[in-house]
Every structure is written in structure tokens, then in C-alpha cells.
Amino acid sequence: MADGELERGEVNCRLASMDSSESRWVFQDEDQSDIDEEAEDEEDEENAAQHRMDLESEEEDNVEQKLIRTGPRIDSFDVEALEVPGAHRNEYEDFSVGKKITLAFQTLGVVFGDVGTSPLYTFSVMFYKAPIKEDEDVIGALSLVIYTLILISLIKYVLVVLLANDDGEGGTFALYSLICRHAKVSLLPNQLPSDTRISRFRLKVPSPELERSLRIKEKLEASLTLKKLLLMLVLAGTSMVIADGVITPAMSVMSAVGGLKIGVDAINQDEVVMISVACLIVLFSVQKYGTSKVGLALGPALFIWFCTLAGMGIYNLVIYDSSVLKAFNPVHIYYFFKRNSTNAWYCLGGCLLCATGSEAMFADLCYFSVQSIQLTFVFLVLPCLLLGYLGQAAYLISNHNGAEHVFFNSVPKSAFWPVFFIANVAALIACRAMTTATFSCIKQSTALGCFPRLKIIHTSRKFMGQIYIPVLNWFLLAVCLVVVCSISSMYEIGNAYGIAELGVMMMTTVLATIVMLLIWQINIIIVMGFAMIFLGMELIFFSSVLWGVGDGSWIILVFAVIMFFIMYIWNYGSKLKYETEVKQKLSMDLMRELGCNLGTLRAPGIGLLYNELVKGIPAVFGQFLTTLPAVHSMIIFVCIKYVPVPVVPQSERFLFRRVCPKSYHIFRCIARYGYKDIRKENHQMFEQLLIESLEKFIRREAQERSLESEGDDDTDSNEIHSSRLLVGPNGSVYSLGIPLLAEFNEARPISEVIHVPEVQAVESLDPSIPDAEQSLERELSFIRKAKESGVVYLLGHGDIRARKDSWFIKKLVINYFYAFLRKNSRRGIANLSVPHTHLMQVGMTYMV
């Protein structure tokens, strides 16, 4: 008795702690609408029920809704998964001083390589478009560079955009995921109310700006045009990130190797291109060794590089002219444009190159913490960059003709070769910074259904975000070599660099503005000021680089457009395929007519039918019934679903539900993953995890039915009961608002008597045991025997074809482009490494 009271006390303590830490604000009628929506999983055949739901949704418009504070709600179908080694946790907490220093070096080696190498080429590109006429031109250009660094790199990215991360994940798709979590703007209609109950799926507590935020949310959710526009902005930004992953290695390596023309008079441009090609091949070949290993190795090298920049800047300020310090007065920007007018506008594209790498800082956020990146940039990277630019400007004051390779010209002759070596190492690190950012962005877009699935290799056992994508790596290398060989001029590559970088920056500004309005809910004046200042600046910069697109930089625009169409076609085809599968799913009437044997033989064993539906019975299951001579005694529809959160805790991984009456032994399992989650389990581990979770679900289902039957003594048996809770063994609270198992009172077919022998083998139980316990033991025994008979993976390959009466463009996109992408993409089951002897495949074609 004392033990029972102690256990209840512990549960109550856990419940109280959950209430205080994870309570949230919801609409007063939200709980009931969620219940209705979840009940739809197994009520597909009930038109009256659907009509009733429609009436309720119509009445919501006329009902005044108010926000109330509720405790944490756990989905009644959540099943606690096994606690496996390597469960997700904050990887950057509780580090010793030594580990923090190691992490700081890795931060330099991975995040800041791109922005750190911008002094190699910024002034060279600027003064190529606006030649130096007098000293004031140098001061004006320097002032432009200083305030571009401060406004874009420091204020916009380091102080604002880095804070708009999705639970430590950065990049364009992380912003999109954050928006999708707070508003239903995803075009793929596979969202469930239970997704919002993941512990990492926390919503914003009300603020004075909440009403405006709700209005924006309603407009986004109600307008299909806005949803498509938002998706197109995200895809455009992502395509520019991929283009950035091509142009950054080309620009960094070409500018660093170009220093040979200063050190060795006999070197010409063709030889510089050949050496650059060799360096790029080596660079992409070592990418597979991972961010952690290479970042730790090259971090000290980049630290030396930043110290070199600062040292050279101080040296040139002392030797040449320290009057360049007056460039901190922004009035010199006005003078620069007044004297040079059109030429000053042309050189804006070169000026932006000083801020390249700012987007990489945000995209590479998944590898490190926000605070570590902010502190490293403010106290090391930015001062060293400013000193480097000040030193180059001081040199140009005395040497107007040295602008072509100003960085290497300003190096003292005695230190030329050591600096040249360090500059090339830093350039290689810069390439890695953007390449790792590209890998991270592609992984996010794949998880959210906007990019074909590719093989992803995790290069670190400790840090789960560090990845390598072999196909993409070699693809980027091939395109990069094409760019280097076809655009041999560093200035033309610089213009292409500006196009790619500005495309990403503008998309980030738009998405960050939406985050401020919808999620942060800050003052509208601050939001509009942020959008007008930074979007206005970036549009002016973009107009400058577009003017020079005919010089050869059009190649990068064409590449970005191709990547955009690949992502859009994939998303469009996936959406059509999912919607068609939803329309053609099997009805419950048909399942009842077939009976528990499904109109065929039920062989012992478990069949895991993989499909993408989160509700209903997939049409491909009908193909299995008509094609195979027998089906397994237990069928589980498995849906691997990615939700718009970085990580789903292991204890919240699975959702289970019974699809048909108990005698059918058919279940649905939704395995939920965040876009940052790693799926490295083999098929044995996955099967064990699945079966144990199913057993827990069935036990809890029996618990709930027992509690419901106790409460039915003085009420009608068909009444739906609410306000009862079930506390699981881990302290989780489960709502008993609706039964987990729907009752089917219709007459059972005769075929139901002829059932699989495994069920009848356990019917002779002790009569003193209650019927509910006997039923539970029979079903658990059935599951164990089915598991012993073996598990088979049933894969239904659903392809789509455009109807004959479709438009020509739709036929071209669906029948050729999307079919090609789907044929050459990686199957979702590939991560489990299932032996071919355990696989069974059936194809099905949908006409869309």
C-alpha cells in the first residue's frame, strides 16, 4: 500500500513538473477538434461522420474562440520506444575547457572559412569595375566595405538571423520548417494534430502582438497562392545555396592560386587555372573524412590566417598611411558615389563579396552553438577582417596601380611565400565551409519532401549533424570545374559569386521577416525597419550584379534555375502522388466484406507494408491481396514521416492505431523523424523496437478499455467519455477522450470462424482470469508467434502517370522529369539494410 502511494506521489510530481515546464496556450475548442480529426483515421467509410465534421468546422467560424492555458497533452496513440544508446541530447552542454577550445577551433575551420578569405578578392573586384582615380576613392570604397560587413554580417546575420534557428538548425529550410510548425503552409497534406504534441514542437506563449500573428497565420493557411509563393521563395533560396556551393570553391581557390602571378613572373593565367583544377579535385576528395576531423585539423590553420590578416593590416597601417581610419565615417560613402556615380554602382557587386560566407555561418549552425559563433565572430573574425581591409586600403593610398592583386601586393616580400601558403590553406577551408552548408541544406530539403532522396553518410559518431553526401559532392566538383575552365577571369567569377550570395540573402531576409511577425511577435515598426533596410540594400546590390550577367556569370544563374526546377518538380510530383493515394485508398466497407481473412489465406508471420499514407488503407494493399496467394497473419502499415522539427525524441517516435476490428490483426504505425534525425538502425533493431512498442500499445489499450468499462456502469454504453487520464509507467499522461478501439457491432462473416490457428491455440486459459486479461494474453501470444514466424517487408512502388487528356507540360513533367528523378533517387527502405530474402515488392501506377 505504501509502495502504491509512493508510486502515485512520484507520478504526480512528474506530472506537476511537466505541467510547469511544457504547458501551452491553445484555443478552448482545440482539444475536441483534434479528437475529431484523429477519429477520422478509421471512419473513412462513414459519410455521416464526415458530414458531421464538416458541420462542426463550419460552426467554428461563428463560435467565439478564446485562448486558455493547458497542461501538456500527450497523444493517446504515442508509444514509448526503447531507450537506445546515443539518444539525442544537447551536444554542447557540460563541456570541459579543453573541449570548448577544441570546439572553437572546429568553429573556425568549418564556419568562418568563407567570410575569412574575402580579403583575397574584394578590393580587386571592386576596383576592376571602378578604377582608382584619387585617394578619396580608396577611402570611400573602404567605408563601403566596413559598413557592409557591420550591417549584413554582424547585425543581420550574427545578431538577428542566427537567433531565428530551428532548435539549433540553421539555413533556408530551417526557417521554412519553423514557419510550417506555426502555420499549416506545407503543400504536402500529411500533417496530423499529434505532430504538434511532440515535446520539441513548442508554440509561442501569447504576447500583445498575438492577435496580429493569428491574422497572418490565418491568411497563410487560407491562401494556396501564398503557400506556393512561400515554397517557391524557399526553393529559390536553396537553389542559390547549391549554386553558392559551386562558385565559392571556384572563387576562393582561383584568387588564392592567382597569387603565383605575383611571386613567379613566368606564371600565366592558363597555368593558374590548371593548378586551381588540381586543388579543387584534392579538396572534394577529402570531403568524405568529415567536418569534425577536417575542422579540427584546419581550425588552427585558419586561426593563423586571421592573425596573419590582423598582422598585415597593422603593418601596412604603420608603413603606408593610417589616415584610412577616417573611413569609419559613413559620409565617405556619399562622396564615393558622388564622384564615381555609375562606376560606384557597378562596384557594389564586388563590395558585397566582403560579406560572402554570412549565409554559410547560418547554414552551418547545425554543427555548433549560436553563442560560440557569435562570440568568435565579434571578438576574433570581425576585428581581424577590418584590420586586413584597413591595411590593404593603406597600401592602395600609396600604390594606385596595385589593385589587381592588392592582397598579395601588400604582403612584405620577405613574408610572401608563408602568407601565400596560409592563404591557399584558408581558401580550401572556405570551400569546405560552403560545401558542408550545402550538404546540411540538402538534407533538410530532402526530409521536407523538396529534394530527391540521396545517400547520406554521417561522418561523426558524436555529433549527429555532420554529414557527407557522395553524389552531391562529386556533382558539385564537376560543375565547379566547368565554371573554372569556362570563366577563367576572377572578376567574372566574382560577379557570379555575388548573384548566388545575394539570392540567398534576399530569401533569408523575407523568411526572417515572416518569423518575426508570426513567431517572435515583436513590434511591427521594428519588423518593417528590418525588412526595408536589409531587403532594400540587397536589392540595390542585386541590381549591380545583374548588370554584368552577360560577362559569363549567367552560367551560375542557369545552374540555379535547373536546381530550382529539380526541387519544384520533385515536390509537385510527390504532392500529386500523395493526393492520389489518399483518393484511392480502400474503404472500410470493403474490408468488412472481405472478413478477417481478407478474402484469402492468412499465413503465419508479420508483414510490414511501407506506404506514405498517415490515414486510411493504401490502395497498394489491394494489389497485394489480388497478387499474392496468401497474406501474413498480422499486417502493420508503416509510414516513415518527417515532421517539421529538428529531432523527435526516441520516446515519442511511434504512433500506433488499430485499423480494423481486433480479429483482423491490422495496425498502423507512423514512425516520426525530424529532419536532423539519424536513421542508422538495421532492420533487426527496427523490428524489435516496433514489436515491443506494439505490445506496449496493446497493454495500454487494454488498460483504457478496462477503465472505460468501469465507468460505463451508470451510463449508456455508446456514450463517449472524457475527462479521464491514463498514466503510463514513465509518467506520461494519456487522454481517454475516445476509445482506442472502435466497436464493430455488425454481424461477423462466416469466414471469421476459420481463423489462423495461432489464435485458437491459446484459448484454453484459466477460467478464473477475467475475460479482458485472457483477451490481452491471447493477442500478445499471437504477436509473439507471428514474430517467430518471420517479418517480411512489403514494398509498394507507386508510380504516377499523367492522364491522356492532361496538358502537354504536365505530361512532360510527370511522365519524364519526375519519373527520371524517382527512378534514380534512393528508396526510403534503403536505410534499414533489409536482406532481399525479406522483401516483397508490388508495383502500382496512378493516373493523375
Side-chain angles (χ1 to χ4, degrees):
M1 186 71 176
D3 292 340
E5 293 177 356
L6 179 60
E7 184 178 351
R8 283 194 297 272
E10 292 176 351
V11 169
N12 290 335
C13 289
R14 283 194 294 267
L15 188 58
S17 65
M18 288 171 61
D19 224 353
S20 62
S21 64
E22 296 191 17
S23 57
R24 65 190 189 115
W25 292 83
V26 299
F27 287 111
Q28 189 171 19
D29 61 342
E30 178 182 326
D31 290 347
Q32 184 60 41
S33 65
D34 281 354
I35 291 174
D36 292 341
E37 206 169 337
E38 286 179 14
E40 185 187 353
D41 281 354
E42 60 186 13
E43 292 178 350
D44 185 74
E45 80 284 7
E46 295 291 335
N47 294 328
Q50 181 64 44
H51 179 65
R52 186 166 58 253
M53 291 174 62
D54 292 339
L55 290 177
E56 289 174 1
S57 63
E58 291 173 2
E59 291 172 0
E60 288 178 359
D61 297 334
N62 302 321
V63 177
E64 182 180 358
Q65 295 177 329
K66 63 179 181 179
L67 288 168
I68 59 172
R69 193 174 183 87
T70 69
R73 295 185 306 139
I74 310 299
D75 194 298
S76 57
F77 310 124
D78 277 338
V79 179
E80 183 182 8
L82 293 176
E83 290 294 334
V84 297
H88 301 304
R89 59 184 177 85
N90 191 339
E91 300 149 349
Y92 307 109
E93 293 180 352
D94 304 327
F95 272 5
S96 65
V97 175
K99 287 186 178 180
K100 288 181 179 178
I101 295 175
T102 301
L103 187 63
F105 276 120
Q106 285 183 331
T107 306
L108 283 175
V110 175
V111 177
F112 297 109
D114 196 359
V115 70
T117 54
S118 58
L120 286 172
Y121 42 76
T122 299
F123 275 145
S124 298
V125 176
M126 285 185 71
F127 292 120
Y128 173 77
K129 298 181 177 182
I132 302 173
K133 298 176 182 177
E134 52 183 295
D135 293 351
E136 283 298 322
D137 291 338
V138 178
I139 302 296
L142 175 61
S143 184
L144 197 58
V145 167
I146 289 173
Y147 283 98
T148 300
L149 265 176
I150 292 174
L151 288 174
I152 293 182
S153 297
L154 177 62
I155 296 178
K156 177 189 171 182
Y157 277 93
V158 174
L159 299 183
V160 178
V161 174
L162 284 183
L163 301 179
N165 65 85
D166 188 13
D167 199 13
E169 191 83 5
T172 308
F173 262 96
L175 288 172
Y176 182 61
S177 169
L178 200 59
I179 295 170
C180 287
R181 191 189 311 176
H182 291 78
K184 296 178 181 179
V185 296
S186 176
L187 293 178
L188 196 64
N190 66 345
Q191 298 87 11
L192 287 175
S194 53
D195 295 339
T196 61
R197 300 172 195 170
I198 299 172
S199 60
R200 289 179 178 265
F201 206 116
R202 298 191 179 97
L203 302 180
K204 181 73 175 179
V205 174
S207 69
E209 305 291 332
L210 178 62
E211 185 177 350
R212 185 195 68 213
S213 174
L214 291 177
R215 287 199 302 267
I216 296 173
K217 177 177 180 291
E218 290 172 0
K219 289 181 180 178
L220 284 174
E221 293 179 346
S223 174
L224 181 61
T225 302
L226 289 179
K227 291 180 182 180
K228 289 183 177 180
L229 180 61
L230 182 62
L231 177 65
M232 292 177 71
L233 287 175
V234 172
L235 297 184
T238 306
S239 64
M240 288 297 182
V241 170
I242 302 173
D244 219 351
V246 169
I247 204 68
T248 297
M251 186 66 182
S252 300
V253 173
M254 284 278 288
S255 58
V257 175
L260 283 173
K261 294 164 67 175
I262 304 299
V264 182
D265 295 335
I267 294 290
N268 57 38
Q269 185 63 27
D270 291 338
E271 292 169 336
V272 168
V273 171
M274 292 176 60
I275 297 172
S276 300
V277 167
C279 292
L280 288 170
I281 293 174
V282 173
L283 168 71
F284 282 92
S285 299
V286 301
Q287 190 77 33
K288 62 183 179 182
Y289 294 109
T291 301
S292 179
K293 302 181 183 68
V294 180
L296 183 58
L298 299 184
L302 203 62
F303 177 75
I304 297 172
W305 165 252
F306 281 113
C307 293
T308 301
L309 281 179
M312 284 177 53
I314 295 172
Y315 171 82
N316 289 325
L317 283 172
V318 173
I319 296 298
Y320 295 106
D321 193 347
S322 61
S323 65
V324 296
L325 292 172
K326 63 184 179 181
F328 281 97
N329 186 349
V331 73
H332 291 283
I333 298 176
Y334 168 74
Y335 295 150
F336 179 66
F337 277 92
K338 184 178 179 180
R339 284 190 306 272
N340 294 279
S341 61
T342 307
N343 286 338
W345 176 66
Y346 285 153
C347 80
L348 284 177
C351 175
L352 180 79
L353 298 181
C354 71
T356 57
S358 300
E359 186 67 31
M361 282 192 296
F362 183 45
D364 284 329
L365 182 60
C366 59
Y367 301 107
F368 306 99
S369 65
V370 173
Q371 188 178 18
S372 66
I373 294 178
Q374 288 177 326
L375 293 177
T376 305
F377 184 85
V378 171
F379 293 106
L380 175 63
V381 175
L382 183 61
C384 292
L385 286 175
L386 291 177
L387 284 172
Y389 286 118
L390 287 168
Q392 291 183 34
Y395 171 81
L396 289 174
I397 290 288
S398 304
N399 302 274
H400 289 184
N401 296 326
E404 183 178 359
H405 293 284
V406 59
F407 176 81
F408 289 105
N409 284 328
S410 65
V411 177
K413 293 191 179 297
S414 59
F416 177 83
W417 289 109
V419 171
F420 173 80
F421 175 76
I422 296 172
N424 277 271
V425 172
L428 296 178
I429 299 171
C431 304
R432 286 191 51 81
M434 200 60 232
T435 306
T436 53
T438 305
F439 289 161
S440 175
C441 191
I442 291 298
K443 183 177 184 293
Q444 295 173 13
S445 60
T446 301
L448 295 178
C450 295
F451 201 88
R453 289 185 292 266
L454 302 174
K455 181 180 181 180
I456 297 176
I457 298 174
H458 299 270
T459 58
S460 174
R461 294 183 178 180
K462 185 173 184 180
F463 299 106
M464 63 181 177
Q466 300 182 2
I467 60 174
Y468 167 68
I469 306 177
V471 174
L472 185 63
N473 183 70
W474 301 118
F475 175 70
L476 292 178
L477 172 61
V479 179
C480 186
L481 295 181
V482 170
V483 170
V484 169
C485 295
S486 60
I487 312 177
S488 57
S489 170
M490 182 181 71
Y491 311 110
E492 294 177 4
I493 294 178
N495 198 71
Y497 200 1
I499 292 173
E501 194 72 23
L502 279 165
V504 185
M505 287 181 175
M506 289 189 293
M507 298 306 107
T508 300
T509 301
V510 173
L511 294 175
T513 302
I514 297 175
V515 169
M516 290 179 178
L517 291 170
L518 182 65
I519 303 170
W520 291 358
Q521 302 169 10
I522 60 179
N523 191 283
I524 188 69
I525 298 177
I526 298 175
V527 177
M528 291 298 101
F530 173 86
M532 292 175 62
I533 291 173
F534 290 106
L535 193 57
M537 283 179 55
E538 289 156 3
L539 285 173
I540 294 173
F541 279 117
F542 196 60
S543 66
S544 174
V545 295
L546 281 182
W547 189 260
V549 74
D551 296 336
S553 52
W554 57 269
I555 294 179
I556 208 66
L557 269 181
V558 171
F559 174 76
V561 169
I562 292 173
M563 298 308 300
F564 172 85
F565 277 110
I566 288 176
M567 291 185 288
Y568 187 81
I569 289 171
W570 180 264
N571 182 267
Y572 174 70
S574 300
K575 176 176 173 289
L576 281 182
K577 179 176 179 292
Y578 187 86
E579 290 175 345
T580 306
E581 289 180 340
V582 170
K583 292 177 183 177
Q584 298 188 12
K585 59 186 180 183
L586 303 182
S587 68
M588 291 301 299
D589 289 335
L590 175 62
M591 299 300 291
R592 283 200 301 271
E593 290 176 6
L594 292 176
C596 63
N597 284 338
L598 302 177
T600 183
L601 298 177
R602 301 293 293 270
I606 297 177
L608 302 182
L609 176 59
Y610 276 75
N611 68 103
E612 298 179 4
L613 289 185
V614 295
K615 295 180 181 180
I617 300 173
V620 73
F621 182 56
Q623 289 289 100
F624 279 102
L625 293 178
T626 57
T627 304
L628 303 179
V631 294
H632 298 83
S633 57
M634 175 173 288
I635 299 293
I636 302 177
F637 300 133
V638 181
C639 173
I640 303 295
K641 179 185 176 185
Y642 285 92
V643 290
V645 295
V647 175
V648 175
Q650 193 72 22
S651 60
E652 302 175 25
R653 175 79 66 215
F654 292 102
L655 289 176
F656 270 94
R657 191 178 185 89
R658 199 183 292 276
V659 177
C660 293
K662 183 181 290 187
S663 59
Y664 282 62
H665 301 289
I666 300 179
F667 300 87
R668 175 182 296 107
C669 170
I670 300 176
R672 301 179 295 182
Y673 291 85
Y675 57 77
K676 195 178 175 183
D677 273 322
I678 303 173
R679 290 182 56 203
K680 297 181 68 174
E681 67 268 18
N682 55 37
H683 71 99
Q684 293 98 339
M685 180 186 298
F686 185 82
E687 291 168 13
Q688 180 184 0
L689 189 66
L690 192 72
I691 298 304
E692 293 194 13
S693 300
L694 177 60
E695 291 179 352
K696 290 181 180 180
F697 163 76
I698 291 174
R699 285 193 173 94
R700 288 178 178 173
E701 178 191 63
Q703 270 186 291
E704 178 176 325
R705 290 178 62 85
S706 175
L707 291 176
E708 286 179 348
S709 63
E710 292 174 3
D712 284 346
D713 293 340
D714 54 352
T715 59
D716 186 79
S717 60
N718 292 326
E719 182 180 354
I720 296 179
H721 302 281
S722 59
S723 305
R724 292 200 298 273
L725 296 176
L726 172 65
V727 181
N730 65 337
S732 300
V733 181
Y734 294 84
S735 169
L736 299 186
I738 59 172
L740 285 176
L741 178 61
E743 294 288 351
F744 289 81
N745 297 321
E746 295 86 349
R748 302 295 174 88
I750 299 177
S751 60
E752 211 170 304
V753 179
I754 308 173
H755 202 51
V756 182
E758 281 78 2
V759 178
Q760 299 174 358
V762 293
E763 288 187 359
S764 56
L765 297 175
D766 189 346
S768 62
I769 301 177
D771 291 340
E773 293 186 16
Q774 291 185 19
S775 176
L776 173 63
E777 289 304 320
R778 280 197 300 268
E779 188 159 20
L780 292 178
S781 176
F782 181 88
I783 293 175
R784 297 187 192 104
K785 292 185 178 181
K787 175 67 170 62
E788 292 173 0
S789 299
V791 177
V792 175
Y793 291 77
L794 308 175
L795 305 183
H797 295 315
D799 295 324
I800 59 174
R801 302 281 295 178
R803 290 191 175 95
K804 292 183 179 181
D805 57 348
S806 301
W807 290 91
F808 170 75
I809 298 298
K810 183 176 181 180
K811 291 180 180 179
L812 184 66
V813 168
I814 297 299
N815 297 348
Y816 295 97
F817 294 153
Y818 178 74
F820 175 80
L821 292 175
R822 188 169 178 82
K823 181 180 178 181
N824 291 278
S825 65
R826 188 175 174 85
R827 300 289 182 183
I829 194 69
N831 290 331
L832 294 179
S833 302
V834 180
H836 291 290
T837 55
H838 291 192
L839 285 177
M840 192 175 296
Q841 304 183 31
V842 169
M844 187 171 183
T845 301
Y846 300 101
M847 303 304 294
V848 297

